[in-house]
Amino acid sequence: MIVRNLQEASQTERAVKPDSGNWQSVRLSLKDDGMGFSFHITTIYAGTETHIWYKNHLETVYCMSGEGEVETVADGRIWPIKPGTVYILNEHDEHYLRAHKDMELACVFNPPLSGREVHDKEGVYPVDND
Ligand code: 9YT
């Protein structure tokens, strides 16, 4: 069994912040745990908008606190996010993620992230072929 603590992990390289400063993510479980998914606690900072398009991954996102919205680019639909909301990017949906208040999200990625990934210009994380 593997046991970790969010507070402790946030002081290590498991904590990742992109140059945009829009979010911080503490990657509590990564590919090398061998689970077939990765699990992160992500904070999206109030007043930010992030363009995301996980062409190589599926992601499920559960809101634990805060407030915001997600807009799917294909149809312009806007989905409010509040505590208890889950959104599931089952079609590699291109989207905009906006926070009105700091949002704390629990995120699961399949396939798992391996470590320090941040979004490229298109909002994509690279495919991991190792
Ligand atoms: C919800 C979302 O995808 N936010 C961006 C960060 C991501 N959760 C990550 O890398 O942990």
Side-chain angles (χ1 to χ4, degrees), residues 7-89:
Q7 179 60 33
E8 289 168 13
S10 69
Q11 307 304 314
T12 73
E13 62 178 19
R14 288 183 178 281
V16 174
K17 197 168 181 172
D19 288 343
S20 69
N22 284 3
W23 50 266
Q24 176 181 269
S25 191
V26 183
R27 295 173 173 166
L28 287 174
S29 181
L30 288 163
K31 182 180 179 182
D32 60 2
D33 289 334
M35 298 296 288
F37 58 86
S38 58
F39 179 75
H40 319 164
I41 301 297
T42 300
T43 304
I44 310 288
Y45 295 116
T48 62
E49 175 184 84
T50 306
H51 175 229
I52 299 175
W53 194 0
Y54 294 128
K55 296 183 188 184
N56 305 311
H57 299 85
L58 300 168
E59 187 194 23
T60 292
V61 180
Y62 177 78
C63 179
M64 299 184 289
S65 66
E67 195 182 298
E69 63 185 30
V70 58
E71 175 178 346
T72 38
V73 171
D75 56 9
R77 193 157 173 191
I78 293 176
W79 311 80
I81 302 172
K82 62 183 184 181
T85 303
V86 64
Y87 65 88
I88 300 164
L89 300 166

